């Protein structure tokens, strides 16, 4: 009988305690499915005395996660501390140097240091697994590296931050302002300590950068990501989009183009009838398109104790089975550095404006758009009690540079009462 697979777990927050619960409760099931017993040798966290709702008495304790990573009675170092640098990075590096496989849920660490960590692990024939780092319980990493390995991936997109999706859903369903929905999410404990990680698109951008690397065989390039959060989305935008048959989502999209790797995380309009349009609350969804498989849609819980711990255990179970997969689906040293696309691919756009209610105002707007090669598909003007006339325009497909030039020129018409708002309409 093969000896047990011995774990060290650094970080005993929601996910860490969830992993311990799964091993304690489902140990026999895990052994039956992998053919190997999985045990915990030692743990580490900031506070030893905190009541975490799990029995830690039979595990050794290390105050220093680096010392934990180096223990001789450990085969797999499970990093659940978080953070792109500091203890998480130091302990992960120490584990690899000591010959340990690593399982992590740390998207920020991998988005910023994934290439060097992957090369270090693969040089020592170790695995670095991170299913839990992207979209919680959704098995998107395994899907890309294994299930879709024979496909040329053409596009990856998705809603990968449950907090943002919760805020946008509450704005729509309850008629809340952004500020009201944000405060509600904060009260429920959904926001990161730095809320900008969520609402600024940074958290979801980290995840998309990792998926891009696997999908297109490129080095992780978070710095090449175009990021735009949801802070400028108003209840008016949500209602107007609904009038046109769309929903607004913080949508990540990655594709390889002739101009380079396009990676963007921004609020977009998607058809209300599409799977992404029907996604509500804190749920995540990732859509992958391949040249032979077509479109694959994966939907599930994007965070929380159970779903994220489940993803951590999936990586541990693979290691117990002896499955060894390169970190990003192919040897890290073969990954190419792709130049960032200078602009997003052409798309239709939703443009919201408030005009002065004077003759010729719309004509001036149409002239500016036309001068920049942007044609109007649909236009809608709403009733208004004063001189502020709300106007919506949906364009035909337009190049992003042309749109930016038009948006910069529109205030010079003298008919705008506030800056225009433009949101991309994603073809899904």
């Amino acid at each position: 009988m093969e000896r047990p697979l011995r774990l060290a777990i650094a970080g005993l927050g929601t996910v860490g305690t969830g992993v311990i619960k799964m091993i304690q409760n489902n140990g026999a099931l895990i052994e039956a499915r992998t053919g190997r017993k999985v045990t915990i040798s030692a743990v580490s966290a900031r506070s030893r005395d905190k009541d975490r709702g799990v029995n830690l008495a039979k595990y050794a304790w290390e105050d220093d996660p680096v010392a934990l990573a180096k223990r001789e009675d450990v085969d797999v170092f499970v990093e659940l501390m978080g953070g792109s640098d500091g203890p998480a990075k130091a302990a992960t590096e120490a584990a690899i140097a000591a010959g340990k496989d690593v399982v992590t849920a740390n998207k920020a660490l991998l988005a910023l240091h994934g290439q060097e960590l992957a090369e270090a692990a693969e040089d020592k024939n170790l695995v670095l697994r991170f299913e839990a780092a992207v979209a919680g319980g959704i098995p998107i990493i395994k899907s890309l590296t294994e299930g879709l390995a024979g496909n040329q991936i053409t596009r990856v997109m998705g809603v990968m931050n449950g907090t943002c999706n919760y805020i946008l859903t509450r704005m729509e369903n309850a008629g809340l302002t952004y500020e009201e929905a944000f405060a509600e999410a904060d009260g429920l404990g959904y926001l990161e300590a730095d809320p900008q990680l969520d609402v600024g698109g940074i958290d979801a951008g980290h995840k998309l950068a990792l998926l891009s690397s696997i999908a297109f065989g490129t080095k992780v390039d978070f710095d090449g990501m175009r990021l735009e959060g949801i802070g400028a989305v108003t209840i008016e935008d949500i209602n107007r989009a609904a009038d046109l048959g769309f929903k607004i989502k913080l949508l990540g999209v990655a594709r390889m183009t002739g101009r380079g790797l396009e990676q963007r995380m921004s609020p977009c309009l998607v058809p209300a009838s599409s799977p992404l349009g029907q996604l509500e609350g804190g749920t995540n969804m990732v859509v992958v398109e391949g040249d032979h498989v077509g479109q694959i849609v994966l939907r599930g819980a994007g965070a929380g104790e159970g779903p994220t711990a489940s993803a951590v255990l999936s990586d541990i179970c693979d290691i117990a089975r002896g499955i060894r997969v390169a970190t990003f689906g192919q040897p890290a040293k073969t990954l190419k550095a792709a130049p960032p696309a200078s602009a997003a691919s052409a798309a239709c756009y939703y443009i919201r404006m408030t005009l002065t209610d004077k003759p010729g105002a719309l004509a001036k707007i149409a002239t500016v758009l036309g001068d920049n090669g942007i044609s109007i598909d649909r236009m809608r003007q709403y009733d208004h009690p004063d001189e502020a006339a709300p106007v919506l325009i949906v364009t035909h497909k337009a190049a992003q540079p042309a749109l930016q030039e038009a948006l910069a020129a529109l205030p010079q018409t003298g008919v705008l009462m506030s800056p225009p708002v433009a949101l991309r309409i994603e073809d899904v």
Side-chain angles (χ1 to χ4, degrees):
M1 189 75 176
E2 192 172 8
R3 69 169 173 77
L5 183 72
R6 303 164 300 175
L7 311 180
I9 301 177
L12 297 177
T14 299
V15 180
T17 55
V19 170
I20 292 173
K21 289 176 185 176
M22 288 189 72
I23 291 173
Q24 291 179 346
N25 297 334
N26 294 349
L29 179 65
I30 293 168
E31 184 176 2
R33 289 178 172 172
T34 66
R36 190 173 181 184
K37 187 176 182 64
V38 175
T39 63
I40 300 170
S41 296
V43 298
S44 177
R46 289 175 183 167
S47 170
R48 186 184 297 216
D49 300 326
K50 181 179 178 180
D51 181 8
R52 297 176 170 85
V54 291
N55 183 6
L56 304 176
K58 58 184 178 180
Y59 311 136
W61 182 278
E62 294 281 359
D63 291 320
D64 180 5
V66 172
L68 178 74
K70 295 178 179 179
R71 288 178 65 103
E72 292 186 0
D73 59 348
V74 168
D75 303 304
V76 181
F77 179 66
V78 183
E79 188 280 300
L80 303 174
M81 295 177 285
S84 61
D85 291 287
K89 183 172 182 283
T92 299
E93 290 172 336
I96 293 170
K100 320 293 186 185
D101 292 323
V102 175
V103 172
T104 181
N106 193 334
K107 55 209 168 267
L109 174 68
L110 294 178
L112 299 182
H113 306 292
Q115 181 68 30
E116 62 194 73
L117 291 173
E119 288 189 20
E122 291 169 21
D123 281 346
K124 297 175 73 71
N125 295 317
L126 302 172
V127 294
L128 172 60
R129 305 297 298 266
F130 59 97
E131 186 67 71
V134 181
I138 298 175
I140 181 58
I141 305 301
K142 184 179 286 290
S143 296
L144 283 172
T145 57
E146 299 179 36
L148 302 176
N151 282 259
Q152 186 78 36
I153 303 301
T154 55
R155 181 169 61 160
V156 177
M157 60 183 169
V159 171
M160 290 175 277
N161 184 278
T163 300
C164 286
N165 203 51
Y166 175 85
I167 290 172
L168 294 172
T169 299
R170 288 293 292 157
M171 288 174 69
E172 179 182 11
N173 293 344
L176 303 179
T177 65
Y178 170 78
E179 291 75 18
E180 290 168 337
F182 179 97
E184 183 177 280
D186 192 25
L188 292 169
Y190 289 173
L191 289 163
E192 297 275 2
D194 177 3
Q196 196 62 22
L197 291 172
D198 286 316
V199 298
I202 299 169
D203 168 84
H206 287 150
K207 299 171 186 176
L208 183 63
L210 299 177
L211 296 185
S212 295
S213 177
I214 301 171
F216 305 111
T218 58
K219 293 182 178 180
V220 181
D221 183 19
F222 176 69
D223 290 338
M225 180 92 49
R226 291 174 175 266
L227 289 177
E228 180 186 349
I230 62 171
V233 177
T234 67
I235 183 62
E236 181 181 20
D237 289 320
I238 287 176
N239 291 336
R240 301 302 189 228
D243 287 347
L244 297 169
F246 294 102
K247 299 287 185 73
I248 298 178
K249 301 292 180 185
L250 180 66
L251 189 65
V253 180
R255 74 177 96 200
M256 187 63 73
T257 73
R259 305 177 313 280
L261 178 61
E262 181 180 329
Q263 298 182 103
R264 47 187 166 79
M265 183 65 61
S266 62
C268 293
L269 274 68
V270 298
S273 59
S274 68
L276 284 165
Q278 296 176 43
L279 189 70
E280 299 210 342
T283 308
N284 282 197
M285 180 176 288
V286 183
V287 180
V288 181
E289 295 171 352
D291 59 349
H292 287 276
V293 76
Q295 188 179 88
I296 300 293
V297 179
L298 297 96
R299 175 186 183 277
E305 176 184 306
T308 311
S310 173
V312 171
L313 257 295
S314 74
D315 285 338
I316 293 169
C317 286
D318 273 357
I319 294 171
R321 292 181 176 117
I323 297 172
R324 320 289 288 180
V325 179
T327 307
F328 296 107
Q330 66 185 68
K333 288 183 177 178
T334 69
L335 298 173
K336 306 297 183 183
S342 56
S345 52
C348 300
Y349 285 88
Y350 154 104
I351 304 175
R352 172 174 60 82
M353 294 171 285
T354 302
L355 309 184
T356 56
D357 191 5
K358 295 179 179 178
L362 278 174
K364 291 183 178 180
I365 297 298
T367 297
V368 169
L369 294 176
D371 288 346
N372 285 278
I374 299 173
S375 62
I376 297 173
D377 177 33
R378 285 182 279 171
M379 183 170 61
R380 183 171 296 182
Q381 184 170 354
Y382 290 86
D383 292 335
H384 51 97
D386 50 29
E387 293 184 353
V391 173
L392 287 187
I393 289 175
V394 174
T395 73
H396 287 289
K397 280 193 174 183
Q400 186 187 41
L403 178 77
Q404 294 303 322
E405 290 183 14
L407 293 176
L410 284 173
Q412 300 171 23
T413 61
V415 299
L416 287 182
M417 298 189 70
S418 59
V421 173
L423 298 175
R424 182 185 176 94
I425 300 174
E426 191 65 36
D427 181 19
V428 300

